[in-house]
Amino acid sequence: MLACSANAAEPQKPAPLKSGVEFTSEDVRKLQADDFANPGMLWVARGAKLWGEPAGSSGKSCAACHGDAAKSMRGVATRYPRVDPGAAKLVNLEGRINLCRERNQQAEPLKLESDELLALTAYVAYPSRGLPVAVAVDPQNRKNFERGRDLYFRRSGQMNMACTHCHDRNWGRQLLGDTISQGHGNGYPTYRLEWQTTGSLQRRIRACFFGLRAEMPPYGAQDLLDLELYLGWRASGLPIETPGVRR
Amino acid sequence: MVARVQIPQQAKRGEVIEVRIAIQHPMETGFRFDLLGRAIPKNVINNLSVRYNGAEVFRAELGSGIAANPYVQFCTVAEASGEFVFEWMDDAGQRGAERASITISG
């Protein structure tokens, strides 16, 4: 434990940074690279439709304010999660979309992990494809960052392991049939073959908690958001791959 | 139901062209149970057909062995300018359709 605490004080990014797709098989890599066969693109296509549909009592669509997402949303996904100045809280891209719905469309927020929200998130993140993740620690998000970092290094569950034990110390090695990745979120929302659907980074983190036989935080929990922020900082420099494909 | 289809926009007469279809669908096998233990009824796309200027060029009967969000690819010969019509139906009776047009030169 002492060693872990020492690590926690000066977190290290894995070197060299490797995207999760590099730990998958050639089939999966090809599937992700093929813009038609990539099943995640179905969510991007759905998001494109939702982008143009009016929502809420304002009767405005996303496009009414933001225009062409290919231009207006380019680079946006690289900066999330971040502290929203209006709401004064940490939000991820899904949360930011829901804030926009509430504030500007006067619409109900979309349910977390719903197909609609995943589709819109994938569509908003898609124009950032290839741009490096750029999540910085600043005075606004420092508290969240430190909480996320501490969670990352804290042992939990019956397995009594922390994120760092797999994703810092043992990446590239085998865990049963799978190769342990560095645990980056640069492809999310991602189509996971295991899920047979597209899911958020929070869903993937919850799956890790399940694997640890730890209690899974509910979607939208502060713990998950803080972890997402730490992971964002840790993945900074890796290109966005949304929609990614993973095993 | 969201679907994407892809054919070349232009082709030469007699050329072999690739036709690709991806449909967003859970392809529920009927073997799964929900969190309360109730069986989730089988719901798969059971029929997919493609017509090229009215003539059927492809038909597939899909079953529960096909993964979610089925992706189908086949080749056909480009004969005349016109339209490809993709139609499918699932066990719940929901129908979907997509269209794509092609221009033939030579």
Side-chain angles (χ1 to χ4, degrees), chain A residues 219-235:
Chain A
Y219 286 113
Q222 193 60 45
D223 282 359
L224 290 178
L225 280 169
D226 293 342
L227 260 179
E228 269 191 83
L229 175 65
Y230 178 73
L231 292 184
W233 168 82
R234 196 169 161 270

Side-chain angles (χ1 to χ4, degrees), chain A residues 3-186:
Chain A
C4 291
S5 313
N7 278 345
E10 290 166 11
Q12 298 280 314
K13 296 182 189 183
L17 279 182
K18 282 182 172 221
S19 166
V21 78
E22 294 187 49
F23 298 96
T24 60
S25 66
E26 200 188 336
D27 300 3
V28 175
R29 285 199 295 271
K30 274 189 186 158
L31 196 58
Q32 175 174 301
D34 183 336
D35 270 350
F36 189 83
N38 181 337
M41 290 302 287
L42 286 165
W43 273 258
V44 174
R46 174 120 189 246
K49 276 188 193 158
L50 291 170
W51 183 260
E53 283 173 10
S57 54
S58 71
K60 283 194 287 188
S61 68
C62 307
C65 292
H66 297 289
D68 180 6
K71 289 185 194 128
S72 62
M73 292 295 123
R74 191 171 152 77
V76 169
T78 61
R79 300 191 286 270
Y80 281 83
R82 68 193 304 218
V83 174
D84 183 81
K89 63 175 183 185
L90 186 71
V91 290
N92 56 11
L93 197 52
E94 284 92 337
R96 183 65 185 84
I97 290 169
N98 268 340
L99 276 180
C100 206
R101 282 177 66 86
E102 287 177 71
R103 283 178 192 155
N104 304 320
Q105 293 182 305
Q106 277 100 50
E108 287 284 306
L110 292 168
K111 195 167 171 281
L112 293 182
E113 216 56 25
S114 63
D115 253 4
E116 287 81 14
L117 185 56
L118 289 168
L120 261 181
T121 310
Y123 181 67
V124 167
Y126 182 62
S128 304
R129 219 184 197 192
L131 299 177
V133 177
V135 175
V137 185
D138 54 34
Q140 282 82 41
N141 68 15
R142 175 158 288 282
K143 270 219 171 78
N144 296 102
F145 175 82
E146 286 171 357
R147 282 198 70 234
R149 179 201 63 197
D150 291 350
L151 273 169
Y152 184 90
F153 287 98
R154 182 184 306 155
R155 289 174 186 269
S156 65
Q158 288 183 325
M159 294 288 188
N160 200 27
M161 284 163 65
C163 313
T164 183
H165 294 132
C166 281
H167 298 295
D168 286 324
R169 295 196 194 170
N170 286 303
W171 60 265
R173 296 173 71 182
Q174 294 295 120
L175 179 67
L176 300 178
D178 212 353
T179 311
I180 300 172
S181 76
Q182 292 179 350
H184 298 302
N186 57 322

Side-chain angles (χ1 to χ4, degrees), chain A residues 203-216:
Chain A
R203 182 170 179 185
R204 183 63 191 83
I205 298 173
R206 274 165 54 90
C208 264
F209 277 106
F210 182 84
L212 294 178
R213 301 186 192 166
E215 194 179 330
M216 292 192 287

